[in-house]
Structures are given as structure tokens and as C-alpha cells.
Amino acid sequence: MARMTLFNSPLLLGFDEIERTLDRVAKMSSDGYPPYNIEQLDEDRIRITLAVAGFSEEDLAIQREDDQLVVIGRQGTDDSETRIFLHRGIAARQFQRRFVLAEGIEIDGATLNNGLLDIDLRRPRPETRVEKIAINAGRKTKSANAPKALDVEDA
């Protein structure tokens, strides 16, 4: 059975990549760890803030993989075997959080402060693109494969 899609309209040409991106986002893990905020700082800048208490700079990695921003957290040593917890409410687990980036989004940098990892993104303003298409006027040319017209004399 064929899948119905929003981008099936003949008026929406070349949006296949957007549809694939939406499918990827829908399939992403719904795991809520670590919690995060996405904040619009101004018209062109966005900040993603992840709560990464207990992680140091060495425990975190940020990378761009094509159109995705990937944040990875891995704590080096696990001393939970030598410690006795009466209550353990602070998560100390590995994580990988992915964010799909729109085309043109640039990563300005990241800072870790008081257990919050801020990643600043910038969205460049799109340039207005106007292209004039020439219309060729003139005689119609015969196609090489078109059947030849019969003259009255040939008939």
C-alpha cells in the first residue's frame, strides 16, 4: 500500500529531502535524558542548553554529522561499586542527543558552566534569489523524429 504524504503535490517539487528529515525526526528516541531547552536569542541566533550536571568538558563531545548536531556524554570512571548510596537520584549514565539542523545553520560554539552546556547556533539570513528566464522567440523547429508531410505530387 502506498504511503500518503504531504509532499505528494505536483506543486511541491524537490522536497524529498525534507520528507526524509521529518521521517528521521519522528523515529528519533523519545528519551528525555538529558533535559534540554531551545531558546531563540534573536532573529538569527538559537541556543540549545543541555543539563549535564556531573559531566566535565572531557566527558562531553559535540560534533556535526551532515545535517545533525550530535552531543555525546560519557563519564570516564564509575566508582559506584566502591560507594554506598542511600539514595541515587542523580543520573550518571551515558547519553547521545541528536538535533536535526536546517540547511545553512552554523555552530558558533559551546560553553559548559554550572552543569549547563550551551551550544550556540546561527541561522544566516537567506538571500533573495531572483533569476530571469529568457524566452526564446522565433520559428518553430521541426523535430528530427517528426513524420514527414507528404506532398501532393508524391501521393
Side-chain angles (χ1 to χ4, degrees):
M1 182 167 117
R3 185 174 74 118
M4 186 61 180
T5 175
L6 174 68
F7 299 101
N8 256 358
S9 170
L11 301 176
L12 297 174
L13 302 175
F15 286 90
D16 302 357
E17 185 61 33
I18 292 174
E19 185 173 18
R20 282 191 290 274
T21 300
L22 290 174
D23 285 343
R24 199 171 336 131
V25 169
K27 292 175 185 174
M28 282 184 160
S29 171
S30 61
D31 184 19
Y33 183 77
Y36 64 92
N37 292 335
I38 300 177
E39 174 183 8
Q40 183 155 357
L41 301 175
D42 61 32
E43 193 174 320
D44 302 327
R45 296 182 317 128
I46 298 169
R47 174 173 288 158
I48 300 172
T49 302
L50 290 100
V52 291
F55 287 85
S56 68
E57 290 178 44
E58 294 80 28
D59 298 331
L60 298 168
I62 303 168
Q63 56 196 37
R64 181 179 200 141
E65 295 176 5
D66 294 326
D67 64 346
Q68 292 188 33
L69 172 68
V70 182
V71 182
I72 301 167
R74 289 191 180 97
Q75 291 181 323
T77 59
D78 184 16
D79 59 356
S80 62
E81 292 178 10
T82 60
R83 298 168 71 185
I84 300 172
F85 291 96
L86 300 178
H87 171 75
R88 187 161 188 172
I90 300 172
R93 58 182 175 167
Q94 298 181 11
F95 69 86
Q96 182 170 325
R97 171 69 70 185
R98 293 179 174 270
F99 300 91
V100 176
L101 302 175
E103 186 176 331
I105 294 284
E106 297 174 8
I107 302 169
D108 280 345
T111 56
L112 180 63
N113 190 20
N114 295 326
L116 297 176
L117 176 63
D118 291 329
I119 304 169
D120 291 331
L121 309 173
R122 187 167 31 88
R123 176 182 18 214
R125 294 185 181 217
E127 296 178 17
T128 303
R129 181 176 166 194
V130 177
E131 182 179 347
K132 185 163 177 103
I133 309 299
I135 301 172
N136 295 322
R139 294 182 295 177
K140 291 184 180 180
T141 58
K142 289 185 180 178
S143 172
N145 297 332
K148 233 179 173 179
L150 292 175
D151 287 334
V152 176
E153 298 175 67
D154 292 339

